[in-house]
Amino acid sequence: MDLTELRGKYIEAVARAADEAALEEVRLAALGKKGEISAMMATLGKMDPDQRKAAGAAMNVLRDEIDAALRAKKAGLADAALNERLKSEWLDVTLPGRPRPRGTIHPVSQVMEELTAIFADMGFAVAEGPQVESDWYNFDALNIPPEHPARQEHDTFFMHRDASDPRPPHVLRTHTSPVQIRAMTEQGAPIRVIAPGRVYRMDMDQTHTPMFHQVEGLCIDRDISMANLKWTLEEFCRAFFEVDKVELRFRASHFPFTEPSAEVDIRYSNVNGQLRIGEGDKWMEILGSGMVHPKVLAAAGVDPDAWQGFAFGMGIDRIAMLKYGIPDLRAFFEGDLRWLRHYGFAALDMPDLPGGLSR
């Protein structure tokens, strides 16, 4: 059979192939190791050079043509199979995509980032300490005597101890003030730190939870006064609440670890259910503060005759709710992401800080 007849035979066979299995049979018959075209090409070695050159070129053309026809037919069969599949597996491409789970940054975590950046610009470093403390760090060193209500079991979580255990009592810390004692003991004076973290108290009602978050600040130097405390708190409130003007009111109070002590109120208004910090005729308590008691300095190894300073403490959960207008504690403690997304907390958001403050 000459090349022209062979070409016609296999081009027609390719066209008649109804599926890929039949097409593969045609390929093997033509181009397989024992196929007709392969057998013809095996005879080239017996020809003289002139015949081999002409016949070889013609056989190569035939082989390439058959191969191209096989590839084209295979692609056509694949397209036809896909079309048939689409008819039976219809897909509506206008349907919305499947949502993927999305993490969020917690409001308390974001507020910790914000206040850390604000106080860092005022020269405060972050200090940390254990959440399980000895009662000496949590109470005695802070001038809280044994008869103080905070040292009773109805106010504090005391760790269980066997009667024969010689170690001192330990508690879940009721404030982050023990961190201030540890920082002064380790670093001495002067010192300027904040201590954010979890604290625990036996408060279990509609407006309190047994675990919450606090940040406390401490500044010790040679010549520190209430005026420095007032300026620090005003600058913080201005930056944190993103307002140009704030007005704070200091009310005399009593804390065992400060003398004098003051509760701090901030001026605000409530317009159509929206809280506005820095304006209006109402006052809201936001934190406690005062000058560090000499006994606290002495307990931490700092000479109270040479050094003095101020301290303050506020609830992080509380100021987060005030800033972001979150009226319900469930947003913090029930773990429902719908609450957090409602208030705009998206994954890995980094807060923009006002007044040119930076990390």
Side-chain angles (χ1 to χ4, degrees):
M1 186 179 295
D2 61 23
L3 296 182
T4 301
E5 293 177 348
L6 202 60
R7 175 189 178 280
K9 172 184 175 181
Y10 283 110
I11 291 296
E12 183 180 353
V14 169
R16 288 199 312 266
D19 52 38
E20 291 194 16
L23 190 65
E24 178 65 10
E25 292 181 3
V26 175
R27 186 190 72 79
L28 292 174
L31 304 177
K33 289 184 178 181
K34 298 180 180 180
E36 285 190 80
I37 296 175
S38 299
M40 291 184 64
M41 296 188 73
T43 63
L44 291 173
K46 300 177 181 179
M47 300 179 183
D48 58 54
D50 291 337
Q51 285 182 313
R52 184 164 58 246
K53 182 177 181 180
M59 290 182 187
N60 283 331
V61 170
L62 175 62
R63 183 188 60 189
D64 292 344
E65 190 173 358
I66 299 300
D67 183 65
L70 288 166
R71 291 177 181 274
K73 181 65 175 183
K74 185 175 183 178
L77 291 173
D79 289 343
L82 179 60
N83 289 334
E84 289 299 319
R85 182 181 174 188
L86 289 176
K87 290 178 182 179
S88 60
E89 299 180 6
W90 180 77
L91 174 68
D92 185 356
V93 296
T94 65
L95 288 173
R98 295 182 178 89
R100 294 183 177 181
R102 182 177 62 176
T104 63
I105 184 169
H106 198 280
V108 170
S109 298
Q110 178 162 314
V111 168
M112 282 189 181
E113 289 280 343
E114 294 179 29
L115 63 86
T116 297
I118 293 170
F119 281 115
D121 269 19
M122 291 189 276
F124 287 80
V126 174
E128 297 179 334
Q131 296 180 43
V132 177
E133 276 287 11
S134 70
D135 67 345
W136 187 87
Y137 278 107
N138 198 80
F139 297 123
D140 294 309
L142 292 163
N143 196 36
I144 300 176
E147 66 273 12
H148 194 280
R151 300 188 71 152
Q152 307 307 310
E153 290 187 359
H154 59 76
D155 275 351
T156 300
F157 291 100
F158 283 85
M159 308 302 292
H160 175 72
R161 284 288 172 82
D162 291 332
S164 60
D165 194 330
R167 293 178 296 172
H170 278 66
V171 300
L172 293 181
R173 67 183 183 190
T174 59
H175 42 192
T176 55
S177 299
V179 180
Q180 299 180 13
I181 301 297
R182 290 180 176 275
M184 285 191 287
T185 301
E186 294 170 4
Q187 302 177 34
I191 190 172
R192 196 180 302 184
V193 295
I194 59 169
R198 295 186 183 93
V199 297
Y200 307 85
R201 296 182 189 174
M202 294 283 284
D203 290 330
M204 302 178 192
D205 56 40
Q206 289 181 330
T207 59
H208 295 85
T209 59
M211 186 280 289
F212 54 102
H213 303 81
Q214 275 189 343
V215 59
E216 301 196 15
L218 172 72
C219 179
I220 304 295
D221 212 319
R222 298 284 186 183
D223 187 19
I224 296 292
S225 69
M226 290 287 286
N228 301 117
L229 169 64
K230 185 174 184 294
W231 177 88
T232 299
L233 295 178
E234 286 179 346
E235 287 298 304
F236 168 74
C237 290
R238 223 186 323 266
F240 180 75
F241 291 110
E242 303 179 33
V243 294
D244 295 328
K245 180 181 178 181
V246 295
E247 187 174 348
L248 299 181
R249 181 176 69 179
F250 285 67
R251 290 182 290 106
S253 185
H254 168 72
F255 303 113
F257 31 81
T258 53
E259 180 60 38
S261 303
E263 301 275 6
V264 180
D265 304 333
I266 193 168
R267 187 183 289 278
Y268 80 102
S269 63
N270 196 316
V271 180
N272 298 324
Q274 181 181 6
L275 193 70
R276 296 182 180 177
I277 299 294
E279 61 181 57
D281 56 358
K282 298 181 179 181
W283 294 93
M284 178 191 308
E285 177 192 337
I286 59 169
L287 59 92
S289 65
M291 300 298 292
V292 179
H293 200 290
K295 290 185 177 180
V296 174
L297 294 175
V302 175
D303 184 359
D305 294 326
W307 304 93
Q308 62 188 40
F310 62 76
F312 59 86
M314 68 187 85
I316 295 177
D317 313 81
R318 177 173 173 77
I319 62 173
M321 293 174 71
L322 292 178
K323 177 171 182 176
Y324 292 105
I326 301 174
D328 197 315
L329 282 171
R330 286 179 294 177
F332 291 160
F333 300 113
E334 284 196 352
D336 190 340
L337 292 181
R338 292 172 298 178
W339 281 92
L340 303 184
R341 289 171 184 154
H342 174 74
Y343 293 105
F345 292 90
L348 305 180
D349 274 353
M350 299 300 287
D352 294 325
L353 299 175
L357 296 171
S358 64
R359 285 184 171 72

